């Protein structure tokens, strides 16, 4: 319960009394307003009713009738009841009633003065009659001539309109009571909060408490100041006066007028928050804390506390040094080894120590380490890899310089025993100076004073050396510095060893991948081709390209990509490239070749999945077990990451491989393309326009699910440049594919259509190659050529054996015009056999075509898909030797299928002046000898 003697109790009583008075006044005001509103409403209702009935149709006529009462009495009563009136009376101009609710009063004279009603406007009066207090409105009724023929009086009791207000009186009472309760409840909550804040104290107790707090404020051994928002000192306890040597009249004076140190005075007057800022005050160092008072309910200003920290300053300095060292070690763990590059890691080690620990840092590594090889035992030559703290053109420390140490020098002894060496004063260390007098003197002349040399040791093997140097302007190295230098070098050594291993394995992977890619593109006449392949910085991937000569002077262009990086991706690329070469040997169209490749990848994935389900191990698992102990020592995580980026998952599936396959025919300039999940090609025409032809895209290899692959055919004018690439060229982390395609379009359009493929490759890479490629890039640029019409000959062959001779003769004449008389005999044999077989076993249409390219190409096509087979005829067979002769005389031969049938083709080298066998007999005797009867 509240005590009325407390501050909260007194506030509660006063607030309750005030609320009761306000509620009572509001209730009285509402009652008066309701009464006035009732009277006004009665006047309005009576006037409206009188006017409405007076102007009603037939009212004037009824008054002029012979019996007004008979006509008006029913109507007035009905209107009175509907309007809720107490009476509605019609009477003559002389005052005789024609109607009345009480029939006994009909015919009697109307009391009162109604003369003002003759002016045509309602005349309203308030009177008290036997109905009670009522409001009466009288209106004159005029006929069409404007003459007053009677009057209408409508009356209503004020009590009737008061009923509305009386009906709402309970609501008014409830509302007033509710407001009273809410007000009292709110007052109680406020009083309760005030009681909680004042702890139920009465004014006297609060005064005593203030006096006690004031005494405590002056008794504490910490200076306290209260400064107003205008910069004037409001309060200062005794400790603050002692620490700041304040005068007696310091209160109410500005802080800047108290003779304090300028920096301290400016801080106190600024009003900004401060935490343990140390400032001098005479011969003391004070820790200053400043907080604004406004957020805590006080007036604008600041509260200041002062502590004497003079004796703690020395300890604080040592703690700060230790904290900086810990932060430096943390930064070293985050920054050293950010890449798996040996030189970059050495530079990061040097950068982290300068200038926070040393003035100059140099890092030297054993030369085998730089090549990624296992470090040799000391002594061995070293090479300086990084220097920080001196200008790059300085002759004091040369990056790349070969370093040798005298065996009895302190640094050499430290390397041999794998322990750190501290030389506090280099001028006094004669053995160190004796190892190279010229270089050591140059170091001393540049102001270097002391040295810590720490071997970089990982896995029990010394990788190199890091030297921390301090100049004469810095403190000499001590024991605490030595332990920190050893910790820093140990962390860096693990990163350097990881980078060394990565360098070795990266070189191995690059060698493997380049061995799987074509070293030189085969010679052909259909295209002028240039290519580029760039591995990713993070590790090699599975991108590949190829150019495959096909029969009929055609050429196949291939670009593919295996998702991922490492040895597994490179090996997978080799498998897919070999499969493409094998399928191309079958002379399949692009859609069928990609379909077979998809089935092959799906089959390989299935085998991999079965192997993994049976628990088959992998090289990666063995490597992980082999490096488990090292991972426990702190270096295994980065090592495993390096192996993962290089090797990849050896048991992973190939799913994610893509491929674009195109066949170009130089006879008609037509190219047929198909792609499985791969970016489409770019086409730069001779007129300078660059486009990206629409090539239907199939799912990536291994995901096709047997769906058919669609192809696109384009006819290219001679000199067009067809550009095939992998997605690493057009997209990376900082660029989406649309921006990359636009850059490619611009690069191909720049410089005109006469640029060679080699120059085009250079321009494209200059425009699109990122600084650090995150994915492999394969680029193939091919400029088209056409076989001239004078090097193409075609004939239609009727289905008549007699047609063989004329066709053969025409072919011989063509060879003579091409200057190929020397191979005419063998060509005649080949054509005779192929044309005869087509007439005998084939169907129309039968065609013969000769192509004069780098070789002589003979093609015989027919309308059947039955393929001939080479076999060795026995001595009793009458046939079966035709294809054998063709195979002997032609350099290559084969069959390819077309939508209308098949084509049997042969190729003969142009410099083959004699067929196989003896040069004198033309090889005929050698061939016939194969069918000689055996000697009995």
């Amino acid at each position: 319960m509240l005590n009325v003697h407390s501050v909260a109790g007194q506030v509660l009583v006063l607030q309750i009394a005030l609320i009761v008075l306000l509620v009572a006044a509001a209730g009285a005001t509402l009652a008066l307003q309701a009464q006035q509103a009732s009277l006004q409403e009665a006047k309005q209702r009576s006037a409206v009713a009188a006017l409405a009935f007076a102007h009603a149709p037939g009212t004037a006529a009824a008054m002029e009738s012979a019996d007004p009462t008979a006509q008006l009495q029913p109507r007035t009563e009905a209107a009175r009841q509907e309007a809720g009136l107490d009476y509605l009376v019609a009477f003559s101009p002389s005052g005789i009633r024609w109607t009345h609710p009480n029939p006994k009063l009909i015919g009697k004279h109307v009391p009162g003065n109604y003369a003002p009603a003759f002016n045509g406007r309602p005349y309203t009066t308030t009177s008290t009659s036997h109905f009670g207090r009522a409001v009466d409105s009288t209106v004159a009724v005029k006929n069409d001539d404007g003459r007053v023929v009677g009057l209408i009086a409508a009356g209503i009791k004020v009590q009737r309109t008061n009923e509305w207000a009386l009906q709402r009186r309970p609501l008014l009472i409830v509302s007033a009571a509710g407001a009273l309760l809410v007000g009292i409840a709110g007052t109680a909550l406020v009083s309760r909060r005030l009681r909680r804040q004042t702890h139920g104290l009465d004014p006297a107790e609060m005064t005593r408490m203030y006096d006690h707090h004031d005494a405590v404020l002056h008794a504490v051994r910490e200076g306290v100041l209260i400064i107003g928002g205008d910069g004037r000192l409001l309060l200062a306890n005794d400790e603050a006066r002692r620490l700041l040597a304040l005068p007696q009249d310091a209160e109410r004076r500005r802080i800047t007028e108290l003779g304090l140190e300028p920096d301290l005075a400016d801080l106190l007057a600024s009003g900004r928050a401060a935490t343990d800022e140390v400032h001098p005050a005479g011969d003391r160092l004070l820790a200053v804390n400043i907080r604004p008072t406004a957020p805590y309910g006080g007036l604008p200003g600041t509260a200041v506390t002062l502590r004497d920290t003079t004796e703690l300053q020395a300890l604080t300095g040592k703690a700060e040094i230790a904290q900086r060292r810990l932060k430096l070690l943390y930064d070293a763990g985050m920054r050293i080894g950010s890449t798996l590059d040996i030189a970059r890691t050495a530079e990061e080690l040097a950068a982290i120590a300068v200038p926070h620990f040393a003035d100059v840092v140099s890092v030297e590594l054993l030369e085998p380490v730089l090549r990624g090889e296992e470090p040799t035992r000391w002594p061995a030559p070293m090479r300086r890899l990084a220097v920080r703290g001196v200008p790059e053109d300085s002759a004091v420390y040369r990056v790349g310089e070969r370093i040798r140490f005298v065996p009895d020098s302190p640094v050499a002894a430290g390397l041999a025993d794998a322990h750190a060496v501290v030389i506090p004063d280099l001028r006094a260390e004669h053995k160190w100076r004796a190892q190279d007098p010229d270089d050591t003197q140059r170091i001393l002349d540049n102001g270097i004073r002391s040295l810590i040399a720490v071997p970089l040791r990982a896995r029990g093997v010394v990788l190199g050396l890091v030297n921390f140097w301090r100049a004469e302007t810095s403190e000499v190295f001590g024991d605490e510095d030595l332990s920190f230098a050893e910790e820093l070098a140990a962390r860096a050594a693990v990163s350097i060893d990881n980078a060394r291993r990565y360098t070795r394995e990266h070189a191995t992977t690059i060698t493997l991948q380049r061995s799987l890619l074509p070293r030189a593109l085969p010679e052909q006449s259909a295209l002028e081709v240039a290519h580029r392949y760039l591995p990713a910085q993070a590790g090699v991937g599975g991108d590949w390209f190829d150019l495959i000569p096909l029969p009929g002077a055609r050429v196949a262009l291939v670009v593919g990509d295996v998702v991922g990086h490492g040895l597994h991706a490179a090996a997978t690329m080799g498998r897919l490239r070999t499969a493409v070469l094998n399928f191309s040997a079958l002379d399949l169209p692009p859609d069928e070749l990609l379909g077979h490749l998809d089935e092959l990848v799906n089959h390989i994935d299935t085998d991999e999945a079965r192997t993994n389900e049976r628990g088959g191990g992998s090289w990666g698992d063995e490597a992980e077990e082999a490096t488990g102990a090292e991972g426990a020592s702190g270096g295994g995580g980065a090592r495993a990451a390096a192996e993962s980026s290089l090797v990849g998952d050896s048991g992973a599936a190939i799913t994610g491989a893509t491929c674009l396959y195109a066949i170009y025919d130089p006879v008609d300039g037509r190219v047929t393309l198909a792609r499985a999940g791969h970016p489409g090609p770019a086409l730069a025409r001779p007129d300078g326009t660059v486009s990206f032809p629409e090539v239907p895209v199939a799912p990536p290899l291994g995901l096709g699910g047997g769906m058919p692959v669609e192809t696109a055919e384009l006819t290219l004018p001679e000199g067009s440049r067809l550009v095939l690439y992998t997605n690493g060229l057009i997209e990376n982390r900082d660029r989406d594919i649309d921006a990359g395609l636009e850059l490619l379009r611009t690069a191909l359009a720049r410089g005109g259509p006469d640029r060679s493929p080699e120059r085009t490759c250079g321009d494209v890479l200059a425009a699109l190659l990122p600084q650090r490629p995150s994915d492999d890039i394969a680029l193939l640029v091919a400029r088209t050529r056409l076989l001239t019409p004078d090097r193409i000959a075609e004939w239609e062959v009727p289905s008549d054996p007699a047609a063989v001779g004329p066709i053969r003769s025409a072919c011989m004449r063509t060879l003579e015009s091409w200057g190929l008389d020397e191979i005419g005999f063998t060509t005649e044999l080949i054509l005779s056999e192929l044309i005869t077989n087509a007439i005998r076993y084939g169907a129309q249409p039968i065609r013969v075509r000769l192509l004069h390219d780098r070789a002589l190409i003979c093609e015989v096509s027919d309308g059947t898909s039955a393929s001939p087979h080479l076999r060795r005829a026995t001595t009793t067979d009458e046939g079966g030797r035709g294809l054998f002769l063709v195979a002997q005389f032609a350099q290559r031969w084969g069959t390819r299928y077309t939508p209308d049938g098949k084509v049997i083709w042969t190729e003969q080298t142009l410099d083959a002046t004699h067929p196989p066998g003896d040069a004198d007999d033309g090889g005929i005797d050698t061939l016939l000898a194969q069918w000689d009867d055996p000697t009995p």
Side-chain angles (χ1 to χ4, degrees):
M1 296 297 293
L2 289 176
N3 186 350
V4 296
H5 296 290
S6 66
V7 174
Q10 294 174 8
V11 170
L12 176 62
V13 171
L14 291 175
Q15 288 183 339
I16 291 176
L18 180 61
I19 291 174
V20 171
L21 290 177
L22 291 176
V23 171
T29 302
L30 290 175
L32 293 176
Q33 288 179 347
Q35 182 177 3
Q36 184 66 27
S38 298
L39 179 61
Q40 186 65 27
E41 184 181 358
K43 291 180 179 180
Q44 291 177 353
R45 289 179 61 183
S46 64
V48 169
L51 284 171
F53 194 84
H55 294 88
T59 300
M63 290 182 175
E64 290 179 336
S65 65
D67 189 1
T69 298
Q71 297 187 24
L72 295 176
Q73 178 68 11
R75 294 174 60 188
T76 56
E77 284 302 301
R80 179 183 66 80
Q81 293 176 2
E82 291 180 3
L85 302 174
D86 289 299
Y87 61 86
L88 184 61
V89 179
F91 54 95
S92 64
S94 59
I96 302 302
R97 295 188 182 97
W98 288 328
T99 64
H100 198 277
N102 186 1
K104 295 180 180 182
L105 298 179
I106 296 175
K108 294 184 178 181
H109 192 272
V110 177
N113 182 16
Y114 48 84
F118 283 95
N119 58 8
R121 290 182 298 175
Y123 173 64
T124 302
T125 60
T126 301
S127 62
T128 303
S129 64
H130 63 280
F131 292 106
R133 190 179 182 192
V135 176
D136 179 89
S137 296
T138 304
V139 179
V141 180
K142 299 180 181 180
N143 60 7
D144 295 339
D145 298 335
R147 183 173 56 84
V148 176
V149 297
L151 294 95
I152 298 295
I156 183 171
K157 293 185 293 184
V158 176
Q159 181 181 359
R160 183 181 296 275
T161 58
N162 286 337
E163 291 177 357
W164 177 85
L166 294 176
Q167 292 174 356
R168 288 158 177 77
R169 183 178 299 171
L171 179 61
L172 180 62
I173 295 174
V174 171
S175 300
L180 181 61
L181 291 176
V182 170
I184 292 176
T187 301
L189 291 176
V190 172
S191 298
R192 182 180 178 183
R193 181 179 180 86
L194 182 61
R195 180 174 63 88
R196 186 166 58 248
Q197 293 177 346
T198 59
H199 302 285
L201 299 176
D202 59 22
E205 290 175 335
M206 293 181 66
T207 301
R208 287 195 300 272
M209 182 173 290
Y210 171 79
D211 294 338
H212 178 73
H213 288 175
D214 185 62
V216 171
L217 179 65
H218 292 284
V220 296
R221 302 304 297 172
E222 187 172 279
V224 179
L225 301 175
I226 304 297
I227 302 173
D230 57 354
R232 295 181 182 275
L233 179 62
L234 302 180
L235 182 146
N237 68 346
D238 295 341
E239 182 68 9
R241 292 178 179 274
R242 184 185 69 83
L243 294 175
L244 299 177
L246 296 177
Q248 292 297 325
D249 60 345
E251 281 85 355
R252 299 300 175 181
R253 293 175 59 182
R254 294 188 179 276
I255 289 294
T256 55
E257 301 173 353
L258 299 179
L260 304 178
E261 298 288 341
D263 291 343
L264 179 60
D266 293 340
L267 174 62
L268 298 179
S270 66
R272 67 174 179 88
T275 301
D276 290 336
E277 290 191 14
V278 178
H279 291 267
D283 57 350
R284 297 184 177 90
L285 290 176
L286 303 181
V288 182
N289 289 273
I290 303 176
R291 293 293 184 273
T293 58
Y296 306 98
L299 296 175
T302 54
V304 182
T305 59
L306 307 171
R307 295 196 313 275
D308 190 352
T309 61
T310 306
E311 296 178 356
L312 299 177
Q313 191 63 26
L315 296 177
T316 302
K318 294 182 179 180
E320 289 179 353
I321 294 175
Q323 185 178 7
R324 286 198 299 267
R325 295 284 173 85
L326 290 175
K327 185 178 184 303
L328 195 59
L329 288 176
Y330 173 79
D331 293 341
M334 298 298 294
R335 293 172 54 184
I336 298 177
S338 61
T339 64
L340 292 173
D341 181 82
I342 296 178
R344 179 71 178 274
T345 304
E347 292 171 358
E348 290 169 345
L349 169 60
I352 200 69
V354 176
H356 303 291
F357 178 68
D359 297 317
V360 179
V361 174
S362 62
V363 181
E364 293 91 26
L365 298 179
L366 297 173
E367 290 188 340
V369 174
L370 301 179
R371 298 189 296 268
E373 301 173 1
E374 288 289 339
T376 57
R377 296 183 59 84
W378 178 258
M382 306 179 71
R383 194 170 297 275
R384 181 167 290 128
L385 205 62
V387 173
R388 180 60 67 95
V390 294
E392 295 183 0
D393 57 352
S394 173
V396 180
Y397 305 97
R398 304 179 185 91
V399 175
E401 182 180 8
R402 198 171 189 184
I403 308 298
R404 291 185 179 273
F405 296 97
V406 177
D408 59 347
S409 67
V411 177
L415 284 170
D417 299 336
H419 70 269
V421 175
V422 182
I423 304 178
D425 188 358
L426 293 174
R427 298 182 183 275
E429 185 59 50
H430 300 290
K431 291 184 178 180
W432 174 80
R433 300 184 63 180
Q435 69 177 4
D436 190 343
D438 294 336
D439 285 345
T440 54
Q441 186 60 43
R442 189 169 61 248
I443 292 173
L444 295 175
D445 292 342
N446 280 270
I448 301 301
R449 179 182 182 184
S450 60
L451 164 69
I452 292 181
V454 185
L456 294 169
R457 188 168 177 266
R459 299 182 298 110
V461 179
V462 174
L463 305 175
L465 180 72
V466 55
N467 298 306
F468 301 97
W469 312 81
R470 281 186 180 175
E472 295 177 349
T473 56
S474 303
E475 296 182 0
V476 298
F477 286 115
D479 293 338
E480 295 181 356
D481 297 321
L482 176 62
S483 61
F484 173 79
E486 290 176 333
E487 177 66 23
L488 186 60
R491 298 193 180 197
V494 175
S495 298
I496 291 175
D497 188 54
N498 290 335
R500 177 195 65 80
R501 295 186 179 192
Y502 176 83
T503 300
R504 179 190 63 195
E505 294 170 359
H506 183 71
T508 303
T509 308
I510 287 288
T511 302
L512 171 63
Q513 187 187 42
R514 293 196 179 277
S515 68
L516 297 175
L517 289 171
R519 298 191 177 184
L521 297 180
E523 296 181 355
Q524 42 78 39
S525 303
L527 297 169
E528 181 185 355
V529 181
H531 62 87
R532 295 289 188 276
Y533 173 78
L534 298 175
Q537 291 288 341
V540 296
D543 292 14
W544 89 92
F545 63 91
D546 224 330
L547 185 142
I548 307 170
L550 298 177
R554 297 170 302 134
V555 176
L557 298 172
V558 189
V559 171
D561 184 6
V562 176
V563 176
H565 297 88
L567 287 175
H568 180 66
T572 300
M573 176 270 291
R575 299 167 74 180
L576 294 183
R577 178 173 178 253
T578 302
V580 171
L581 289 172
N582 292 333
F583 288 141
S584 298
L586 300 177
D587 208 353
L588 299 175
D591 53 343
E592 293 186 19
L593 185 143
L594 290 183
H596 288 298
L597 198 62
D598 178 75
E599 293 178 1
L600 174 64
V601 171
N602 190 37
H603 178 71
I604 295 175
D605 286 348
T606 302
D607 289 346
E608 293 284 358
R610 290 174 181 172
T611 302
N612 293 336
E613 288 177 0
R614 289 195 297 267
S618 65
W619 185 90
D621 298 334
E622 297 172 359
E624 184 176 354
E625 294 176 2
T627 57
E630 182 182 350
S633 67
R639 167 67 177 156
E643 289 178 349
S644 176
S645 65
L646 289 168
V647 179
D649 185 1
S650 59
I654 308 178
T655 301
T658 65
C659 184
L660 172 62
Y661 190 85
I663 296 178
Y664 174 70
D665 190 346
V667 175
D668 54 7
R670 181 173 299 176
V671 61
T672 305
L673 306 100
R675 58 179 176 141
H678 200 83
L683 177 61
R685 297 182 181 273
D687 59 2
T689 60
V690 179
S691 62
F692 297 94
E694 289 291 337
V695 179
V697 59
L701 299 176
L703 301 177
M707 295 179 60
V709 180
E710 300 182 28
T711 60
E713 288 191 359
L714 303 172
T715 301
L716 307 181
E718 187 173 12
S720 300
R721 285 169 296 163
L722 189 64
V723 181
L724 282 65
Y725 50 87
T726 55
N727 61 348
L729 177 69
I730 58 175
E731 63 177 333
N732 53 49
R733 299 186 185 96
D734 303 323
R735 182 177 64 208
D736 59 21
I737 188 169
D738 293 333
L741 290 175
E742 190 59 33
L743 287 175
L744 178 59
R745 182 196 303 273
T746 303
L748 293 176
R750 187 184 304 118
D754 296 332
R755 283 185 303 173
S756 65
E758 281 291 336
R759 184 177 174 186
T760 301
C761 284
D763 292 344
V764 168
L765 291 181
L768 282 85
L769 184 64
Q771 185 175 3
R772 293 182 60 84
S774 59
D775 195 5
D776 289 17
I777 296 175
L779 176 64
L780 196 62
V781 179
R783 183 158 63 182
T784 61
R785 296 169 177 164
L786 290 177
L787 202 59
T788 57
D790 59 348
R791 287 177 171 259
I792 304 172
E794 292 184 275
W795 297 272
E796 294 283 343
V797 181
S799 299
D800 184 1
V804 176
I807 296 297
R808 186 171 55 211
S809 299
C811 292
M812 294 306 102
R813 289 192 297 269
T814 301
L815 292 181
E816 291 176 3
S817 66
W818 289 345
L820 302 178
D821 308 67
E822 295 180 351
I823 61 174
F825 176 72
T826 57
T827 305
E828 185 176 6
L829 290 176
I830 291 172
L831 288 174
S832 296
E833 177 61 29
L834 296 182
I835 296 173
T836 301
N837 285 343
I839 294 174
R840 180 178 297 178
Y841 304 110
Q844 287 291 336
I846 301 174
R847 297 185 180 88
V848 176
R849 185 171 72 167
L850 298 181
L851 302 177
H852 183 195
D853 192 32
R854 303 174 67 89
L856 177 63
I857 302 170
C858 302
E859 297 180 345
V860 178
S861 62
D862 65 80
T864 63
S865 58
S867 176
H869 297 281
L870 177 66
R871 65 187 181 91
R872 193 180 193 93
T874 63
T875 56
T876 59
D877 291 338
E878 296 182 0
R881 297 178 178 86
L883 283 182
F884 183 79
L885 290 173
V886 170
Q888 293 295 320
F889 281 102
Q891 183 183 13
R892 294 197 308 158
W893 77 281
T895 304
R896 73 172 182 269
Y897 296 95
T898 65
D900 300 328
K902 67 177 181 298
V903 177
I904 301 177
W905 56 269
T906 64
E907 287 187 7
Q908 299 168 256
T909 57
L910 302 182
D911 57 353
T913 57
H914 298 285
D918 184 75
D920 296 331
D921 62 11
I924 300 301
D925 292 340
T926 303
L927 291 174
L928 294 178
Q930 300 184 48
W931 284 275
D932 289 345
D933 293 334
T935 302

